[in-house]
């Protein structure tokens, strides 16, 4: 290895470290969370998405327009469509977030997002990750449940640090050596842990589990876990326990292991993996929604991909809208429409698990996205 390669790598690493010290100062000065009940207008930006995105988003907007009809009519809620984020538009702009798209996003309060194609444009990083960083969406919240199987997990995943923060900025030192990085900050770990414990306290949950690989990743995972331990002391009524990521993943269906798993708090990479595993255990990634929450903005999305295969085979209208509808339920609750959020969540439980008059399998022999959404809205009406 040439000394020049090492020096170049050291210089690149120094630049990356400098950028993080600037980010930490911004975190320290972050504004308080918005008080939606005191806002004259809440602007919801809509990203239709790629592949099946526009098909499931059409159904999600039917639910939004139905259940929030009055505040929309009164002008308290405004729906705006975000331009420029389709895969073809990003390919032309050769930007993960085109300038017009970023400007439109920053002018909204809340974002409802369909799945974006993040793999077919060579040379561009993930648009989803770029949006999370641009809007400073520091916490990913994923509730995953199956009432029939008895699973009910709420996962707080760190959203912008860990192994993903420099995912496209690793250092190829020479032909033989490549280095990627994991980043952890005290500020972000504290913020994430406190959100998890606050959620547990406000929602009657008695257990919070920190999931790491601290037995091997001593520093970043160790610091993350130590921060969770410190925050746990502020919530003496809540049982705090520690789990390893590999054991947790292997025992998601073990009743004894799961007995005290209610709220999980995880670094970025582990949270991404384990929340997808949990969704598959509970019925598939098409059944769970996700929230990305920052100090000013929040984004709600399905956790599945674009399923381009369904579009290519003429079956996009038979895609399951449940994941995005779950995200809509979380959006309602987040902006203060808690009754509507609970009704939609309860209706999805009934339609997807306990009653199941219709099923969506992505095949024309079963319900279409529109038919299933009709079923959900009819069930919401029954709950009134």
């Amino acid at each position: 290895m040439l000394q020049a390669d090492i020096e170049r790598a050291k210089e690149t690493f120094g630049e990356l470290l400098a950028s993080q010290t600037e980010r930490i100062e911004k975190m320290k000065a972050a504004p308080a969370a918005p008080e939606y009940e005191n806002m004259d207008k809440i602007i919801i930006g809509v990203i239709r998405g790629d592949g099946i995105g526009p098909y499931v988003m059409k159904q999600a907007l039917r639910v939004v327009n139905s259940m929030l009809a009055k505040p929309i009519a009164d002008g308290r809620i405004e729906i705006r469509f975000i331009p420029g984020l389709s895969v073809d538009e990003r390919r032309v702009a050769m930007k993960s977030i085109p300038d017009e798209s970023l400007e439109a996003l920053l002018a909204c309060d809340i974002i409802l997002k369909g799945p974006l194609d993040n793999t077919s444009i060579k040379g561009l990083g993930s648009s989803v990750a770029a949006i999370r960083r641009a809007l400073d969406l520091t916490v990913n919240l994923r509730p995953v449940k199956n009432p029939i199987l008895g699973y009910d997990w709420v996962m707080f995943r760190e959203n912008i640090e860990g192994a993903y923060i420099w995912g496209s900025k690793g250092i190829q030192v020479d032909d033989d050596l490549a280095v990627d990085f994991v980043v952890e900050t005290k500020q972000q770990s504290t913020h994430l842990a406190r959100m998890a414990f606050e959620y547990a306290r406000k929602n009657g949950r008695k257990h919070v589990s920190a999931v790491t690989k601290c037995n091997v990743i001593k520093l970043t995972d160790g610091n993350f876990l130590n921060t969770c331990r410190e925050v746990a002391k502020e919530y003496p009524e809540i049982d705090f326990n520690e789990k390893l990521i590999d054991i947790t993943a292997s025992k998601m269906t073990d009743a004894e292991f799961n007995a005290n798993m209610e709220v999980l708090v995880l670094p970025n990479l582990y949270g991404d993996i384990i929340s997808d595993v949990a969704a598959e255990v509970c019925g598939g990634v098409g059944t769970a929604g996700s929230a990305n929450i920052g100090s000013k903005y929040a984004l709600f999305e399905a956790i599945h991909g674009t399923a381009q295969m369904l579009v290519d085979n003429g079956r996009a209208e038979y895609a399951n809208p449940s994941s995005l509808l779950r995200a809509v339920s979380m959006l309602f609750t987040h902006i203060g429409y808690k009754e509507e959020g609970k009704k939609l969540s309860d209706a999805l439980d009934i339609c997807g698990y306990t009653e199941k008059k219709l099923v969506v399998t992505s095949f024309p022999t079963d319900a279409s996205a529109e038919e299933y959404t009709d079923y959900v809205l009819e069930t919401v009406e029954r709950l009134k």
Side-chain angles (χ1 to χ4, degrees), residues 151 153 241 243 251-261:
Y151 301 134
W153 301 305
N241 55 86
K243 299 183 183 295
K251 290 185 174 290
M252 293 298 289
T253 59
D254 184 309
E256 184 178 355
F257 185 83
N258 274 294
N260 65 350
M261 281 219 309

Side-chain angles (χ1 to χ4, degrees), residues 278-351:
E280 285 293 339
V281 166
C282 288
V285 293
T287 64
S290 174
N292 303 264
I293 302 170
S295 57
K296 182 177 181 180
Y297 301 98
L299 180 149
F300 298 82
E301 61 182 340
I303 69 170
H304 57 70
T306 60
Q308 184 63 40
M309 175 270 295
L310 294 183
V311 180
D312 295 341
N313 287 279
R315 289 161 39 207
E317 64 186 288
Y318 294 93
N320 192 338
S322 296
S323 181
L324 196 56
L325 296 183
R326 289 281 182 189
V328 169
S329 169
M330 297 169 71
L331 185 156
F332 287 169
T333 300
H334 185 77
I335 63 175
Y337 292 90
K338 295 181 180 180
E339 182 179 350
E340 289 81 358
K342 186 176 187 309
K343 283 182 179 177
L344 180 54
S345 179
D346 289 347
L348 287 165
D349 286 348
I350 292 168
C351 296

Side-chain angles (χ1 to χ4, degrees), residues 47-57 87 90 113-120 126 128 132 142 272 276 279-280 284-290 301-311 315-316 318-324 362:
I47 301 172
R48 288 189 174 93
D50 300 310
I52 63 169
Y55 296 86
V56 294
M57 183 60 74
V87 64
R90 284 178 283 134
K113 185 188 79 66
L116 291 174
D117 181 337
N118 289 304
T119 61
S120 65
S126 165
V128 177
R132 287 171 179 164
R142 290 190 179 186
D272 189 4
D276 282 355
E280 285 293 339
V285 293
T287 64
S290 174
E301 61 182 340
I303 69 170
H304 57 70
T306 60
Q308 184 63 40
M309 175 270 295
L310 294 183
V311 180
R315 289 161 39 207
Y318 294 93
N320 192 338
S322 296
S323 181
L324 196 56
S362 82

Side-chain angles (χ1 to χ4, degrees), residues 26-150:
K26 289 181 180 179
M27 284 193 286
K28 291 178 179 179
E35 297 179 351
Y36 295 101
E37 64 273 15
N38 296 326
M39 295 172 63
D40 293 331
K41 178 184 286 190
I42 300 170
I43 300 173
I44 301 175
V46 173
I47 301 172
R48 288 189 174 93
D50 300 310
I52 63 169
Y55 296 86
V56 294
M57 183 60 74
K58 180 180 178 180
Q59 304 311 317
L61 291 176
R62 287 180 60 207
V63 172
V64 172
N65 285 309
S66 173
M67 297 189 70
L68 298 186
K70 187 177 188 309
I72 290 173
D74 292 343
R76 184 161 189 275
I77 291 178
E78 178 184 341
I79 307 294
R80 292 184 184 175
F81 291 94
I82 306 299
L85 281 173
S86 72
V87 64
D88 291 333
E89 290 168 313
R90 284 178 283 134
R91 184 179 288 110
V92 170
M94 278 308 293
K95 289 186 175 182
S96 297
I97 313 177
D99 294 343
E100 64 168 342
S101 306
L102 180 57
E103 183 179 351
L105 287 167
L106 294 173
C108 298
D109 303 298
I110 299 292
I111 309 298
L112 180 62
K113 185 188 79 66
L116 291 174
D117 181 337
N118 289 304
T119 61
S120 65
I121 307 176
K122 292 185 177 180
L124 285 188
S126 165
S127 293
V128 177
I131 291 170
R132 287 171 179 164
R133 288 193 295 270
L135 301 184
D136 200 26
L137 303 174
T138 57
V139 173
N140 184 254
L141 170 59
R142 290 190 179 186
V144 184
K145 64 179 178 177
N146 184 316
I148 301 299
L149 298 176

